[in-house]
Amino acid sequence: PSLTPAVPPAPSILRRSRARRGGKRVRFAQVTVYYFARRQGFTCVPSAGGSSLGMAPRHHRARRYSLSQFAHLRQVSHRQHLRQHLRREKLRARRRELTQNGTVPSAEAAGLTLADVSDDDLDVGQVEVDDYFYLQPLPTKRRRALLRASGVRRIDAEERQELRALRLSREQCGCLCRLTCEPRTCACSQAGIQCQ
């Protein structure tokens, strides 16, 4: 039997393209964080109530961090938010217990505050902060309190009706066509878009 020389495998396209790049990569050395004053929003639609949160058109401060500093600050901030969220949840649970799920009025439950929930009562160690953290929707009262704490003196009450109208209009999306489109009565067709 004769032996034929082994044919080298065809070079990978991926390896060639990496070699051609010459090792050019984008690397970030720092993070710039811009700080804005809080304002009433008028640009977002919260799921309930009025007083949407927004920010001033221009930042009032900027700060630079190294990547490691920023990662640490973010972790500390997320842990604080998580602690506050767990504290509010624990307070609600205690109030429910004292009022037998809201069926019996209780002066003791009404007198409880966030200060009555200690750090020992929280299971922060059981929750992976980065897996848990995401922006939580805020109730209307908290949004109004945040605006007032940020120096907003007059909260526009008309925004509440505007937001309600927007939420209602978003519920009525598309047209009433069934199976076939009737261009004479189809709201989509009359608006110049494809029948939904």
Side-chain angles (χ1 to χ4, degrees):
S2 67
L3 296 173
T4 56
V7 178
S12 168
I13 295 171
L14 296 175
R15 275 191 232 129
R16 219 178 323 137
S17 65
R18 279 192 200 134
R20 257 192 243 136
R21 282 190 224 150
K24 292 181 183 177
R25 293 186 181 131
V26 176
R27 289 198 173 105
F28 297 96
Q30 56 187 347
V31 176
T32 304
V33 179
Y34 295 93
Y35 296 89
F36 293 82
R38 195 180 299 275
R39 298 281 185 260
Q40 191 169 357
F42 303 104
T43 55
C44 65
V45 182
S47 56
S51 308
S52 60
L53 298 176
M55 59 188 185
R58 303 233 356 115
H59 64 277
H60 60 81
R61 185 173 66 133
R63 184 128 186 243
R64 291 179 190 245
Y65 300 99
S66 70
L67 291 178
S68 60
Q69 286 174 323
F70 183 72
H72 176 72
L73 285 172
R74 198 168 133 191
Q75 187 176 27
V76 167
S77 171
H78 287 184
R79 196 168 295 281
Q80 286 173 342
H81 284 288
L82 175 61
R83 204 173 247 116
Q84 280 300 102
H85 176 73
L86 293 174
R87 188 171 269 125
R88 283 191 296 273
E89 289 297 313
K90 186 64 94 172
L91 178 62
R92 280 191 206 109
R94 282 189 184 164
R95 284 179 176 164
R96 275 194 304 269
E97 286 174 14
L98 290 170
T99 61
Q100 296 177 1
N101 287 330
T103 58
V104 179
S106 168
E108 185 181 357
L112 287 176
T113 65
L114 287 174
D116 296 321
V117 180
S118 71
D119 282 345
D120 297 335
D121 296 333
L122 307 177
D123 291 333
V124 178
Q126 300 294 335
V127 181
E128 182 61 42
V129 177
D130 290 330
D131 291 343
Y132 171 80
F133 187 81
Y134 56 92
L135 290 175
Q136 302 284 332
L138 296 174
T140 305
K141 284 183 180 180
R142 285 234 15 245
R143 291 195 305 264
R144 291 176 82 80
L146 281 171
L147 288 169
R148 288 208 170 90
S150 298
V152 176
R153 287 190 174 87
R154 186 182 167 274
I155 296 174
D156 188 347
E158 289 180 25
E159 185 189 27
R160 184 176 183 210
Q161 282 78 28
E162 291 170 10
L163 293 173
R164 185 173 176 271
L166 272 171
R167 283 190 293 269
L168 285 172
S169 74
R170 288 179 177 181
E171 286 177 10
Q172 301 165 357
C173 181
C175 59
L176 301 174
C177 294
R178 302 283 180 246
L179 301 175
T180 60
C181 177
E182 295 292 331
R184 286 178 279 114
T185 59
C186 175
C188 296
S189 181
Q190 290 173 357
I193 59 173
Q194 187 176 0
C195 182
Q196 302 294 311

